[in-house]
Amino acid sequence: MNDLPRTTLRIGRRVIPLPLVAWLTLIWLLMWDRFSLANAVSGVLVSVALILVFPLPPLDPGLRLHPVGLLRFAARFGADLLRSAGPLAWQAFGHAERGVVNSVIAVRLRTRSDFILTAMAIALSATPGTLVLEVQRRSSTLYLHILGGSGDRAVARARADVLALEARVVRAFGTRADRRALEDS
């Protein structure tokens, strides 16, 4: 039985991903001045040769799209952007309270996925008022600078917001293992 996906071709013991062949062939064709059958055929041959000589490990980015979760994530992310932009603008124009303290906090995520960790860092950095200072991949810990994080209550709320964002990201893009990690914690 052939258990290879339809988008692959087996040559000996090597597996050739056809989408990669198509992509490399397109790049090959774009390098030439004009399209011709000879350029297309030579592009396919060069692509296959490159893949055979320089094999890439199979990659699974850990991305799964869940439409309902994606819609919820997008809607809430948009609302979070709007909600956080107001206080930041107020602070920027000098109307902030005197003695507003900002904080650096560490939030350990419940999932271990590199994709979720990256998506979280991007989403948090895109939100006004938060900045990802450091990411520790081994422990899935994000170190964040948050505006207005004075006091234990504000820090606890910021941590809860980050963990709620993690849950939305996992429901939008996570694998079964990611979802299980949320349920187990």
Side-chain angles (χ1 to χ4, degrees), residues 75-149:
R76 180 62 191 265
F77 184 68
D80 287 347
L81 287 176
L82 292 173
R83 182 179 52 114
S84 63
L88 183 63
W90 190 254
Q91 233 180 5
F93 287 112
H95 299 292
E97 301 172 20
R98 299 277 182 223
V100 172
V101 178
N102 301 315
S103 297
V104 174
I105 63 170
V107 181
R108 189 174 196 161
L109 302 180
R110 297 163 287 190
T111 57
R112 298 289 183 181
S113 165
D114 287 341
F115 177 79
I116 299 296
L117 186 65
T118 303
M120 288 291 298
I122 292 169
L124 288 166
S125 291
T127 306
T130 58
L131 177 69
V132 178
L133 299 174
E134 184 178 342
V135 175
Q136 286 190 351
R137 184 175 175 235
R138 276 195 190 123
S139 63
S140 288
T141 303
L142 296 173
Y143 291 89
L144 308 169
H145 177 270
I146 57 170
L147 291 178

Side-chain angles (χ1 to χ4, degrees), residues 64-75 168 170-174 179:
R64 307 296 183 269
L65 287 178
H66 307 284
V68 173
L70 182 60
L71 287 173
R72 286 182 182 157
F73 167 74
R168 288 191 301 276
V170 167
R171 287 186 195 107
F173 305 109
R179 289 174 177 237

